[in-house]
Amino acid sequence: MNDNPANGSLQSTKNAIYDNAQSAASTIQNHPATQSPVADTVKDQHAKTTSEFQNLADSRTSPNESTATGQPLTHYHSFFYNLLSWENPRATSIAFLSSVLFIFAGRYLPALRWSFKILSYLLGAMAGLEIFGKVAFGNGFARAFRPKKYYTIPRETLEASLEDVEQFINFFVIEFQRILFAENVTATTAAFLAALISYGLIKFTPFWGLSLIATSVLYLTPLVYKSNKEFIDAHLENATNVVNSQASQVKDLTAHHVGRYSETAKQYAGDYTSKAQSYIGAGRGRSTSPEVSNLSKVDNSVPAHAPVKSEAGDAPAYQSSDFPHAPKQEPTAGATSHQEQYEKSEFGGQAQPAM
């Protein structure tokens, strides 16, 4: 099949196209117009831009810093810091413009529809060539474009890509938690203002417009600060001093009022304690019940053994003589009843016990 004339002609055509392209590139490179100062400037800028992109790629190393919980940061922390700090201005500018163009393309260009359209044209062209070649020449033309071995993603590349994706996702997860739990108060305050402003803008601003504003602020704010660092730092220092002074005054005033309120509270507590103690002492000096006072007054005119008159509803009053004496000896042998036991005892001559 390799000796087929159709395959030989296609291969020769490919070689001719490659040779012509290489010849055109050599001609352009050696043309006098490309040797002008403008061309040299373009080459120099191209070399600098390539170098900055290489520096940006090399900056993806894990920093020595860690989070407040002691966890290490990802290498994307160094990458985005290098990108947004404008340490490589050409690379950052291209990244910013690319982001803006991507937002506008997503808004105004039907990229998804065009993707399906291009894919359908490509598949239709390959299918047509294959069918036409088999019908006309008995051998499809698509076979000539087919590689000797299909491309596959090496396992090492796939594992490195997955690790890179993991680092990229963890960068956003870690940064969200650091902002949420106020590891850096300035960053948390800035995020609060951004969320508050976005909440107001989302009511009348489309999503692509909000994305454009966020991207511009994210890229341009560090550039403005870097360009006016001394001026901004001076005003920030003055504002910090004013805030600290006001906070110190508020703290002193609060301490003064708290001291006064504490002294007043102690004074009232002492007054109430003394009053409570005086009331308790006065209560102890008096009788707790009028009946106790009346019972303490004994009527000497009444005999001690006089029977107490009981009124209706009162419990009957008894004296000690109304009860029999308790036995003080062992029971007498031969007594068959309580009466006999009593008569034979030493109290036998006394009054009969109450039955």
Side-chain angles (χ1 to χ4, degrees):
M1 301 298 293
N2 294 333
D3 297 335
N4 194 299
N7 290 338
S9 61
L10 288 175
Q11 186 65 30
S12 61
T13 303
K14 289 169 61 176
N15 294 335
I17 293 174
Y18 176 78
D19 293 339
N20 291 333
Q22 190 174 10
S23 177
S26 178
T27 302
I28 294 173
Q29 186 176 4
N30 296 326
H31 195 272
T34 60
Q35 305 298 327
S36 63
V38 177
D40 293 339
T41 303
V42 172
K43 291 180 180 179
D44 182 59
Q45 293 298 325
H46 178 267
K48 290 181 179 180
T49 303
T50 304
S51 176
E52 289 188 4
F53 272 107
Q54 185 62 40
N55 293 336
L56 188 62
D58 294 339
S59 67
R60 292 196 307 170
T61 57
S62 298
N64 296 326
E65 300 177 1
S66 60
T67 63
T69 58
Q71 294 173 273
L73 302 177
T74 65
H75 60 252
Y76 274 102
H77 284 83
S78 302
F79 174 78
F80 282 112
Y81 176 82
N82 192 291
L83 176 66
L84 298 177
S85 62
W86 292 81
E87 295 182 1
N88 300 291
R90 294 174 182 81
T92 305
S93 300
I94 293 175
F96 173 58
L97 293 177
S98 300
S99 301
V100 172
L101 291 176
F102 180 78
I103 293 173
F104 278 108
R107 170 62 181 86
Y108 292 105
L109 300 179
L112 186 61
R113 184 165 60 88
W114 285 2
S115 299
F116 283 115
K117 186 177 182 179
I118 294 173
L119 182 61
S120 64
Y121 285 172
L122 180 61
L123 295 176
M126 295 302 293
L129 286 174
E130 184 69 14
I131 294 172
F132 176 75
K134 286 186 176 182
V135 171
F137 302 97
N139 190 13
F141 290 153
R143 185 175 301 177
F145 299 97
R146 186 182 304 159
K148 295 181 178 180
K149 184 178 180 180
Y150 288 120
Y151 176 76
T152 58
I153 301 177
R155 181 177 180 179
E156 294 77 10
T157 304
L158 188 60
E159 290 179 351
S161 301
L162 292 177
E163 183 180 359
D164 199 61
V165 171
E166 177 193 0
Q167 293 281 314
F168 182 75
I169 294 174
N170 284 331
F171 164 76
F172 290 100
V173 173
I174 292 175
E175 283 304 305
F176 174 76
Q177 294 178 91
R178 294 177 71 188
I179 293 173
L180 178 63
F181 296 108
E183 184 173 324
N184 188 338
V185 180
T186 304
T188 303
T189 305
F192 161 72
L193 295 176
L196 188 63
I197 295 172
S198 300
Y199 171 73
L201 292 177
I202 199 64
K203 297 178 180 179
F204 52 86
T205 305
F207 180 74
W208 71 270
L210 199 62
S211 301
L212 182 62
I213 294 173
T215 303
S216 301
V217 171
L218 188 65
Y219 276 93
L220 297 180
T221 300
L223 179 61
V224 173
Y225 174 75
K226 186 176 181 179
S227 303
N228 305 276
K229 188 176 185 303
E230 296 180 358
F231 177 77
I232 295 175
D233 287 345
H235 281 75
L236 288 177
E237 184 177 0
N238 292 335
T240 302
N241 294 333
V242 171
V243 171
N244 291 335
S245 176
Q246 294 296 326
S248 179
Q249 293 180 4
V250 171
K251 182 180 179 181
D252 295 339
L253 187 61
T254 302
H256 174 69
H257 285 293
V258 168
R260 288 183 56 188
Y261 292 148
S262 299
E263 293 295 332
T264 304
K266 290 180 180 179
Q267 182 179 357
Y268 281 121
D271 294 341
Y272 289 137
T273 302
S274 61
K275 288 182 180 180
Q277 290 177 353
S278 63
Y279 289 149
I280 293 173
R284 288 178 179 177
R286 285 184 266 170
S287 174
T288 58
S289 174
E291 287 78 3
V292 177
S293 300
N294 295 334
L295 291 176
S296 64
K297 297 178 181 179
V298 180
D299 191 357
N300 296 327
S301 62
V302 181
H305 299 286
V308 180
K309 295 181 180 180
S310 61
E311 298 179 357
D314 294 340
Y318 296 99
Q319 295 183 1
S320 59
S321 60
D322 296 333
F323 298 93
H325 296 282
K328 296 184 178 180
Q329 63 183 18
E330 296 295 330
T332 305
T336 58
S337 65
H338 293 286
Q339 183 66 26
E340 293 179 356
Q341 289 285 350
Y342 181 75
E343 291 178 352
K344 292 181 179 182
S345 65
E346 61 178 339
F347 303 103
Q350 297 184 7
Q352 296 291 331
M355 299 300 293

